[in-house]
């Protein structure tokens, strides 16, 4: 475990590459209104664990059955496609993306619901069982014999060559509209968690890949709870995309081997997420492969079976020195055990 405090807290990065990049949305009203119209929607539980991992009380937002899709990602891409449908731009359209897991499922579900099509690029490390789940929702699956970053490049090329709409959960210069909206969808989860907490937490642990979940939640939690909570962003040691940017004081690309935390194994941060987290996160930490896996039996013992990616926030809590009996901790289990 490695942790660095954020020297840019409350200010953000002064990086020219971020000058035209928006901050994350903090308006949960629009996604919640759309959710009210969805038969599969409903708030996910906030599980109270009591004293756990050296903290006085731990609360877990359990996203393992969000809208029947198995992860918080159900709130993202499907919300973007719903917004496109409301504007008359979804039916007959083909949305394309790369996915390490649940983002693709959200694209497929949104396309299926709004009479659109989905093409999903998967890297070699994504299990075939997940590809079958995508096909069951009507998506066309295309394999890339390479890394997640290479599957992102293939999806972007297909968008240009074949006239598809690229729906990425990351953002970069010139590509911010869809990822901004996608992160706004995650605010429904953050709002539910805030409303279910009787008192503000003292600590919040948020796992991050490209950073969309962490940045959306951090921005919203700062809006409702101010400077009180310490917000810690947790990444794989093999993919410290956000931590490396904060250490460098500018956008950089991380390097490392493939991680067992597949949904978090991202070497380049989303610029919207980096922009927000540089302002809102108190600290950034990494966890090893062994630390992520070691947390899983303890989570299963309390009824929170998940994957190394889904439990990474709690693994971060477990990796620190005990926070003590006064600590009230909020974490997210972001996906079910199937990933």
């Amino acid at each position: 475990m490695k942790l660095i405090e954020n020297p840019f807290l409350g200010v953000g990065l002064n990086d020219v590459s971020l000058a035209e990049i928006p901050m994350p949305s903090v308006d949960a009203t629009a996604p919640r209104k759309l959710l009210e119209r969805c038969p599969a929607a409903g708030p996910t539980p906030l599980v109270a664990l009591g004293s756990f991992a050296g903290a006085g009380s731990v609360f877990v937002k359990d996203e393992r059955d969000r809208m029947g899709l198995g992860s918080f990602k159900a709130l993202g891409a499907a919300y973007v496609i719903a917004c496109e449908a409301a504007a008359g731009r979804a039916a007959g359209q083909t949305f394309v993306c790369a996915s390490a897991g649940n983002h693709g499922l959200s694209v497929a579900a949104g396309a299926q619901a709004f009479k659109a099509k989905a093409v999903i690029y998967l890297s070699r490390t994504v299990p075939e069982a997940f590809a079958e789940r995508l096909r069951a929702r009507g998506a066309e699956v295309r394999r890339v014999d390479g890394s997640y970053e290479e599957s992102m490049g293939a999806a972007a090329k297909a968008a240009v060559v074949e006239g598809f709409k690229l729906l990425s959960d990351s953002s970069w210069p010139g590509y911010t509209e869809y990822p901004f909206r996608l992160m706004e969808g995650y605010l429904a989860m953050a709002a539910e968690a805030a409303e279910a907490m009787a008192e503000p937490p003292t600590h919040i642990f948020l796992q991050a890949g490209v950073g969309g979940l962490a940045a959306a939640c951090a921005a919203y939690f700062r809006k409702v709870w101010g400077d009180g909570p310490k917000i810690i962003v947790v990444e794989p040691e093999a993919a410290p995309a956000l931590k490396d940017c904060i250490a460098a004081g500018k956008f950089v690309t991380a390097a490392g081997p493939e991680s067992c935390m597949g949904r978090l194994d991202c070497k380049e941060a989303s610029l919207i997420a980096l922009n927000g987290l540089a302002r809102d996160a108190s600290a950034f930490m990494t966890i090893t492969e062994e630390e992520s896996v070691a947390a899983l039996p303890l989570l299963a013992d309390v009824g929170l079976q998940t994957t190394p990616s889904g439990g990474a926030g709690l693994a971060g809590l477990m990796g620190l020195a005990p926070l003590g009996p006064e600590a009230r901790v909020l974490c997210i289990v972001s996906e079910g055990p199937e990933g």
Side-chain angles (χ1 to χ4, degrees), residues 223-287:
K223 175 188 175 184
V224 296
W225 289 322
D227 298 334
K230 182 166 186 175
I231 299 177
I232 301 106
V233 176
V234 183
E235 298 178 282
E237 190 174 79
L242 291 153
K243 179 173 168 285
D244 281 6
C245 291
I246 295 301
K250 61 182 181 179
F251 176 80
V252 295
T253 299
E258 290 180 354
S259 172
C260 69
M261 290 167 269
R263 258 66 70 203
L264 309 182
D265 188 13
C266 305
K267 305 321 193 222
E268 292 190 358
S270 166
L271 292 189
I272 298 174
L274 175 60
N275 222 8
L277 288 169
R279 178 194 66 188
D280 296 327
S282 307
F284 295 79
M285 68 180 292
T286 57
I287 56 174

Side-chain angles (χ1 to χ4, degrees), residues 6-13 23 222 227 276-282:
N6 179 14
F8 308 106
L9 178 62
V11 178
L13 287 175
M23 285 289 181
R222 288 293 181 218
D227 298 334
L277 288 169
R279 178 194 66 188
D280 296 327
S282 307

Side-chain angles (χ1 to χ4, degrees), residues 124-139:
R124 65 172 178 265
T125 59
V126 178
E128 184 59 22
F130 183 78
E132 288 301 320
R133 291 175 66 192
L134 290 169
R135 294 185 186 105
R137 292 205 171 256

Side-chain angles (χ1 to χ4, degrees), residues 103-121:
H103 171 61
L105 200 58
S106 187
V107 173
Q112 188 177 56
F114 295 103
K115 297 180 173 58
K117 298 177 182 178
V119 174
I120 316 296
Y121 281 82

Side-chain angles (χ1 to χ4, degrees), residues 125-223:
T125 59
V126 178
E128 184 59 22
F130 183 78
E132 288 301 320
R133 291 175 66 192
L134 290 169
R135 294 185 186 105
R137 292 205 171 256
E140 177 188 341
V141 175
R142 299 181 182 180
R143 284 283 188 177
V144 173
D145 186 21
S147 66
Y148 172 68
E149 283 71 26
E150 288 171 303
S151 68
M152 286 183 67
K157 182 178 179 180
V160 173
V161 172
E162 300 181 60
F164 300 158
K165 286 286 188 180
L166 181 65
L167 209 178
S168 177
D169 58 355
S170 190
S171 59
W172 50 85
Y175 184 79
T176 59
E177 181 181 358
Y178 276 1
F180 177 87
R181 191 69 61 211
L182 181 144
M183 289 172 60
E184 185 175 74
Y186 298 159
L187 297 179
M189 169 182 57
E192 290 171 11
E195 290 168 3
M197 294 283 292
E199 297 179 80
T202 59
H203 298 75
I204 303 170
F205 290 80
L206 299 168
Q207 58 266 53
V210 297
L213 175 152
C217 289
Y220 190 82
F221 294 150
R222 288 293 181 218
K223 175 188 175 184

